Amino acid sequence: MRTSRLEAFSDGVFAIAITLLVLDLAVPPLAESERDGLWAALGREWPSYFAYLVSFLVIGIIWINHHTMLTLVERVDRPILFANLVLLMTVSVIPFPTRLLAEYLLEPEAHVAAAVYSATMLAMGAAFYALWSTITRRPGSLRRPLDPETRRATLRRFGAGQVLYAAAIGLSFVSAIATLALHGALGIYYCFDQLTPSAGDDDR
C-alpha cells in the first residue's frame, strides 16, 4: 500500500504529542504572584519551560526525520506499519517523562526523573532505527535501493545518537539539569539529516 494513510495517522499522533507538552506549563498561583510579584513567580517555573523546550525540539525533529524517511519510501506493508506503531507509541509517551522531569528537576529525586526521561528517549531512538531498518529490508519498499556504503553510514549516524542516549541515563545520576541539556544537544544533532539524500531526492 502507499504511504498516505501511515503519514496521516503519524502526523496526527505527532501533533497531539507536541500539543500535550504545552498543557503542562502551569500559570503561577495568584497568591504566589501577589507575594513575590508575577515575574518572580514565572521565573520559578523555569524547569517546566526548559523541559518543554527540549521535548518540543525532540518531537519536532522526530517528525521532520520521519517525513524525510517516508519521502524515500514507495510503499509499505504490515511489518512496516507495526514498526511505525512502535515508534508512535514511544513518541506519544514523551509528554509524561517531560512533566515528570519538570516537576522533579530541582528535587532530591531528580535523578530518577531524568533517568526515566533518558530511557524514554533511548526507546524512541531504538524504535526509529527499527522502523528504518524494517523499511530498508523490505523488498520494493524504497523508491531506489540503498547501496552498502549508504546503509553503513546511516547505521553509524543512528548508532552515535543511541550511544549518547544510553550515556544520558548514566548522566542522570550525576546531574538532571545536565542530562536535560544533553537531550537538547541531541535534538540539535538530529536536526541534521541522518538519512542520505542520495537514496532519493524526490519531493512530495
Side-chain angles (χ1 to χ4, degrees), residues 39-192:
W39 281 115
L42 287 170
R44 280 192 287 271
E45 298 293 327
W46 72 265
S48 295
Y49 308 147
F50 189 16
Y52 166 80
L53 180 63
V54 172
S55 292
F56 187 97
L57 174 65
V58 168
I59 296 177
I61 295 305
I62 299 169
W63 175 77
I64 290 172
N65 287 334
H66 186 266
H67 171 73
T68 301
M69 176 169 56
L70 291 180
T71 62
L72 310 179
V73 177
E74 180 69 25
R75 58 181 58 86
V76 297
D77 57 10
R78 288 178 68 85
I80 293 174
L81 292 175
F82 279 114
N84 190 69
L85 278 178
V86 174
L87 172 63
L88 296 181
M89 179 181 67
T90 64
V91 170
S92 65
V93 82
I94 289 177
F96 166 71
T98 300
R99 182 176 182 180
L100 183 70
L101 186 54
E103 288 285 337
Y104 284 87
L105 190 61
L106 303 179
E107 302 298 326
E109 295 294 313
H111 60 280
V112 176
V116 171
Y117 187 92
S118 299
T120 302
M121 295 304 178
L122 178 64
M124 177 277 300
F128 195 99
Y129 174 73
L131 174 59
W132 172 244
S133 179
T134 302
I135 288 172
T136 57
R137 293 175 187 274
R138 305 302 293 173
S141 60
L142 290 174
R143 292 172 180 263
R144 303 176 196 168
L146 295 179
D147 59 88
E149 178 53 36
T150 294
R151 289 177 182 272
R152 289 192 292 269
T154 305
L155 177 61
R156 288 194 298 268
R157 293 167 190 165
F158 282 124
Q162 286 301 95
V163 168
L164 289 174
Y165 280 135
I169 297 177
L171 182 61
S172 300
F173 296 93
V174 178
S175 171
I177 295 176
T179 301
L180 190 54
L182 175 59
H183 285 291
L186 276 167
I188 295 173
Y189 167 75
Y190 279 113
C191 282
F192 300 95

